[in-house]
Each structure stands twice: as C-alpha cells, then as structure tokens.
C-alpha cells in the first residue's frame, strides 16, 4: 500500500497523488502542497481544525487521550520533578540539562534580567488604568528597538542569546505592568534570588518593608509556569510563527503573540473565569449561568470550559485542580469563589449539554484561583500566562528559523466579494 492519498477532481477527472506524512505520533497528514499546481485548487479549513501548519519536535498533545509532552517528557513528570527554568532549557535545547548546563543556563538567564533604563519610561505613556496585557504587548514590542541591529535571526548563537534575553527580561517587564497601575516604584531584579522568587519580589516587595514569598507560593507559581510553558500550535504560538516567517524581529514576534493571547477565547480566559465567578457570586445562581451557556440565543459561554483539542480531559487541568486544593489547604485559605467553582464544575459535568459536546474544565478554570490565592490581581492573570508561554514562543520561533522548509506563511482565501465593476464618480452615487 503506497503512502499517498489520491485526490480526484470529479469535474475534470484530473487527479493528484498527495504524499502522506507520518510524525512520531498523531494522525497521518496529507501533504497538499502540490494541489494548487496540479489541480488549480486550494483547501479550505476554517479555524485550521484539520490542518498541520508545520513540523515540530517540541510539544506533543493528544486531545482524545489527554496527553501532553514537552520534548517527549510527560507533563505530569515535569510538573512533579522539574522546575520552570529547567523546562525552558528543555523546550529550547531539546534535551534535559546536566547539572553544569543547568547552572550555566540559570546564571545566563540572570545576566539578561536587566532591561535598558530607558524602557522604564515607556510605561508612562499608558493611562493609569491601562490593561496590563496592553502594556505588555507594547513594552515587549519596544524591546525590539534595543536589539534590532545586534540580532542576526540567521545565526544560531544570536537566536540562543535572544531566547535568554526573552526569558530573562520578561519577569521584570511583567512586574512593572502591575506596579505601574498600582503606583508602586519599579523593582530591579535581585540575582541572589531564584527565577520565580525574583519575579515575586519584583511584583510584591515595598521599599518600606522586607519581602520574602513563602516556599508554597513559589512552588505553586513554578508549577503554573511549567504547565503553561508551551502548547504546540495554538493561536498565539501560530501568530508568533506567522510573524517570524516574515523574518521580523523576535521581540516583535513575541509582542504579536501577546496580543493574541490576550483574547478571552485564549489566554484571557483565566481572567474571564474569575470575573464570571464574581458575577455568579452565590451557589444558588450557578444554574442560571449554566442555562445561559446552553442558550443558543445568548453569546455567554462558561469560561474555563471547552478546548479545541482536548475532548476528554485537559491534563494540565487535572494537575492544577489538585494543586489548587493543596494550596488552599496549606495556606488555610477559604476562598468562597473556590466553593462556587467546584459546584459549577460538578453541575456542568453532569449536564448533557456539556457531556455531549465533550466540554471539560480547561487549565484556565483553575489557574485563576491559584493566582488569586497568591494575591495576584485578576487583570494580571493573562500576564502570568504570557510570562510562562514566552518560553514556548521563543522555542517555536527558533525551530521555525531552523526549519529547512522555511517560507513566509501566506494562506489563501475564497473570495466572496463583488465581481469586477467600474468606479462610480461621486456625483453619480446614490
Ligand atoms: N460554554 C458553552 N458552550 C460551549 C463552550 C463553553 N465554554 N465551549 C464550546 N461550547 C459549545 C459551542 O457553543 C458549540 O456548540 P454547538 O455545537 O451546539 O454549536 C460546541 O460547544 C463546540 O464549540 P466550538 O466553538 O466549535 O469549539 P472551538 O473548538 O472552536 O472552541 C474554545 C474552543 C476554547 C474557544 C471554546 O470552548 C470556548 O470559547 N471556551 C471558553 C473560553 C476558554 O475557556 N478558553 C480557554 C481555552 S484553554 C487555554 C488556552 O489554551 O488558550
């Protein structure tokens, strides 16, 4: 049996043999590259539901089985045994580091933690109540201006240095988005602290008092960052790759990814979940919201439910759900919102509407609850996601730049507009 699929144009009898590509796992993929040349036809796949946009060796996920692996390592094992910076190394370099490599990696990320002093002035251009994701997109885009001439996107060392810059600088940039709105002075990185602890210090410390985050809080944030670090070709990662394919500056690519992540169908869902739980306010109102989510005439959706790929369970959600329980227990916190979330989850999971459509709680249903328990304001939740996902974005950008099949991404369309018509002078228009 040949590894091809024959596509026949029944109108003309013309046919084309399309090679079938197999990855390590996952469904076989029909290579339709020759379709236009041979048959003069495009493929149409709204939302890319059946389209593989690239070959990638970084992350594998199986939505039916609820599997997520970074470079082959199951997310459950990384969550239990690794830490965020080690995961960054893995995503970018392809292998787990040995002790020397990890020490070297951590030190070099620290070296790149500072940002140019002038960058701090960019924040002043924003309204006092600007959404921090708007600030993130703008300021990260602005970083491109500091490294434009010195970044050679075709040089492997330069790409690796860019990755270190992104991972090193993003905590400082993110913390400043919060402090700008809160009216607190900016805090510089403190290299005597670990990556997560340093970020928390830049977020929460005050000039007037000493600050030391608890080990529980550091571990909870580290876990969330591991789980959010990469998720193959989602909307924001595809945006980063799309921008990168035009050979643009990598910081500008990341800024484009941030803009996409902000949307509430994507990374913005973690903030939307908390806003929804606040609106529900009391367990007695839950059914009303579930009914609204099921009503076709109401655009409301249950935030934190459903996923394009996971149709069984989101493995990140399973880990985070347990972590959320553990954290609240350890911190002796009694969040009323957590009770509402658990009850909402129970009601939705027993409802035929959600069962038939395979709508399960996703990672964002629980992540906001952890962020809230850690004292992070809800409008910063998607910024937290950005911090973690920057690792995946830059790993994917590097893979794109090293791809032998590198070409500018240029989808086609089905034109449904007017047929050709002549320009109408103003005095003859209706
Ligand atoms: N609440 C109620 N109904 C829903 C929901 C929901 N959250 N999600 C999907 N549906 C329904 C939808 O109305 C449709 O029903 P029908 O078949 O009767 O028309 C069916 O389920 C399939 O939905 P879809 O819009 O075709 O699914 P999609 O794959 O295009 O969208 C999604 C995936 C995540 C955008 C969507 O489930 C959603 O909007 N969820 C809420 C937002 C959310 O939690 N997003 C975070 C995703 S995880 C974090 C990340 O990776 O970014």
């Amino acid at each position: 049996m040949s590894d091809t699929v024959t596509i026949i144009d029944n109108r003309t009898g013309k046919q084309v043999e399309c090679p079938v590509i197999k990855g390590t796992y996952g469904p076989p993929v029909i290579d339709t590259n020759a379709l236009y040349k041979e048959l003069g036809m495009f493929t149409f796949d709204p939302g890319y539901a059946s389209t593989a946009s690239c070959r990638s060796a970084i992350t594998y996920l199986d939505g039916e089985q609820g599997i997520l692996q970074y470079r082959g390592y199951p997310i459950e094992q990384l969550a239990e045994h690794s830490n965020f910076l080690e995961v960054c190394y893995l995503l970018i370099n392809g292998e787990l580091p040995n002790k020397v490599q990890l020490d070297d990696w951590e030190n070099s990320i620290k070296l790149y933690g500072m940002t140019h002093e002038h960058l701090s002035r960019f924040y002043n251009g924003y309204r006092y109540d600007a959404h921090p994701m708007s600030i993130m997109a703008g300021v990260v885009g602005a970083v491109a201006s500091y490294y434009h001439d010195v970044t050679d996107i075709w040089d492997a060392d330069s790409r690796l240095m860019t990755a270190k810059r992104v991972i090193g600088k993003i905590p400082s940039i993110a913390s400043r988005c919060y402090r700008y709105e809160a009216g607190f002075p900016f805090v510089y990185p403190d290299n005597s602290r670990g990556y997560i602890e340093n970020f928390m210090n830049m977020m929460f410390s005050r000039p007037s008092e000493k600050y030391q985050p608890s080990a529980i809080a550091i571990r909870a944030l580290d876990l969330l960052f591991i789980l959010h670090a990469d998720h193959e070709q989602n909307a924001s990662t595809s945006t980063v790759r799309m921008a990168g394919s035009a050979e643009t500056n990598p910081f500008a690519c990341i800024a484009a990814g941030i803009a996409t992540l902000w949307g509430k169908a994507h990374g913005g869902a973690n903030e939307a979940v908390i806003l929804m739980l606040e609106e529900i306010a009391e367990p007695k109102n839950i059914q009303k919201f579930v009914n609204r989510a099921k009503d076709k005439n109401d655009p409301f959706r249950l935030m934190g439910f459903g996923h394009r790929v996971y149709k069984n369970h989101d493995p990140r959600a399973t880990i985070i759900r347990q972590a959320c329980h553990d954290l609240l227990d350890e911190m002796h916190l009694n969040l009323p919102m957590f009770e509402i979330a658990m009850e909402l989850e129970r009601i939705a999971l027993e409802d035929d509407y959600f069962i038939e459509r395979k709508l399960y709680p996703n990672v964002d249903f629980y992540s906001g609850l952890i962020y809230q328990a850690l004292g992070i304001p809800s409008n910063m939740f998607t910024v937290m996601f950005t911090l973690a996902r920057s690792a995946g974005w830059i790993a994917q950008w590097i893979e794109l730049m090293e791809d032998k099949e590198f070409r500018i991404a240029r989808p086609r369309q089905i034109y449904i507009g007017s047929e050709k018509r002549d320009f109408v002078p103003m005095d003859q228009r209706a």
Side-chain angles (χ1 to χ4, degrees), residues 104-414:
D104 186 47
W105 176 250
E106 287 173 351
N107 286 334
S108 53
I109 298 291
K110 278 182 183 168
L111 277 181
Y112 290 106
M114 292 286 292
T115 53
H116 195 292
E117 193 57 22
H118 292 178
L119 196 73
S120 56
R121 296 185 201 150
F122 278 76
Y123 294 82
N124 292 329
Y126 288 89
R127 252 179 74 126
Y128 68 97
D129 60 351
H131 195 285
M133 280 299 277
S134 156
I135 305 181
M136 270 308 273
V139 175
V140 171
V143 179
S145 64
Y146 296 93
Y147 301 107
H148 192 56
D149 294 336
V150 296
T151 305
D152 180 355
I153 58 172
W154 301 115
D155 176 72
D157 291 339
S158 182
R159 286 195 292 268
L160 187 59
M161 194 186 290
T162 299
K164 290 175 182 173
R165 283 193 174 118
V166 168
I167 296 166
K169 290 179 199 316
I170 215 101
S172 157
I173 295 172
S175 68
R176 289 171 177 214
C177 292
Y178 164 64
R179 293 184 79 94
Y180 175 71
E181 189 196 0
F184 298 137
F186 292 164
V187 176
Y188 291 98
D190 171 357
N191 286 353
S192 69
R193 297 175 187 257
Y195 189 81
I196 306 289
E197 186 190 329
N198 182 34
F199 168 65
M200 292 188 84
N201 185 54
M202 289 190 284
M203 276 284 285
F204 295 120
S205 65
R206 307 277 178 274
S208 46
E209 51 196 80
K210 279 210 164 76
Y211 173 76
Q212 182 56 50
S214 70
I216 298 170
I218 294 172
R219 179 59 197 150
L221 209 50
D222 197 34
L223 177 70
L224 284 179
F225 286 1
I226 292 172
L227 299 179
H228 280 107
D230 195 49
H231 211 230
E232 56 120 296
Q233 308 313 317
N234 55 80
S236 55
T237 303
S238 299
T239 303
V240 170
R241 279 185 177 260
M242 175 78 91
S245 80
E247 302 179 29
T248 198
N249 181 291
F251 279 97
C253 298
I254 302 285
I258 294 171
T260 308
L261 190 74
W262 188 5
K264 74 177 161 73
H266 192 10
N270 54 14
E271 181 183 353
V273 168
I274 295 297
L275 297 178
M276 176 186 75
L277 294 174
E278 278 171 359
E279 218 185 321
I280 295 176
E282 288 184 67
K284 69 173 168 42
N285 298 329
I286 292 175
Q287 193 58 54
K288 204 166 65 195
F289 280 79
V290 170
N291 293 345
R292 280 189 62 197
K294 290 156 54 175
D295 181 355
K296 286 282 144 229
N297 298 316
D298 188 333
F300 174 77
R301 285 184 166 198
L302 275 195
M303 288 293 113
F305 269 79
H307 199 275
R308 167 61 62 79
V309 185
Y310 293 122
K311 299 299 177 195
N312 182 336
H313 72 275
D314 179 339
R316 304 168 301 172
T318 311
I319 300 169
I320 255 182
R321 186 181 191 278
Q322 188 55 48
C324 196
H325 277 282
D326 294 347
L327 182 75
L328 296 182
D329 281 353
E330 286 174 46
M331 293 178 84
H332 307 293
L333 270 182
N334 188 12
L335 282 187
M337 211 171 269
F338 186 64
E339 303 303 320
I340 297 174
M342 292 303 105
E343 186 58 6
L344 172 61
E345 179 193 51
R346 189 189 64 75
I347 293 175
L349 289 179
E350 287 174 1
D351 191 305
D352 282 348
Y353 174 95
F354 292 88
I355 296 169
E356 280 160 16
R357 289 168 182 76
K358 301 185 174 179
L359 300 170
Y360 297 92
N362 57 52
V363 68
D364 284 330
F365 188 70
Y366 308 103
S367 61
L369 292 163
I370 296 192
Y371 290 137
Q372 198 177 53
L374 297 178
I376 294 165
S378 55
N379 66 357
M380 280 293 289
F381 292 177
T382 316
V383 173
M384 299 292 119
F385 195 160
T386 302
L387 212 162
R389 186 54 59 82
S390 297
W393 287 333
I394 203 66
Q396 299 269 351
W397 173 78
I398 289 176
E399 185 175 66
L400 166 83
M401 301 317 291
E402 292 173 355
D403 192 339
K404 300 213 169 18
E405 293 169 344
F406 181 94
R407 287 177 90 184
I408 188 166
R410 178 60 171 89
R412 303 304 294 259
Q413 63 169 10
I414 304 172

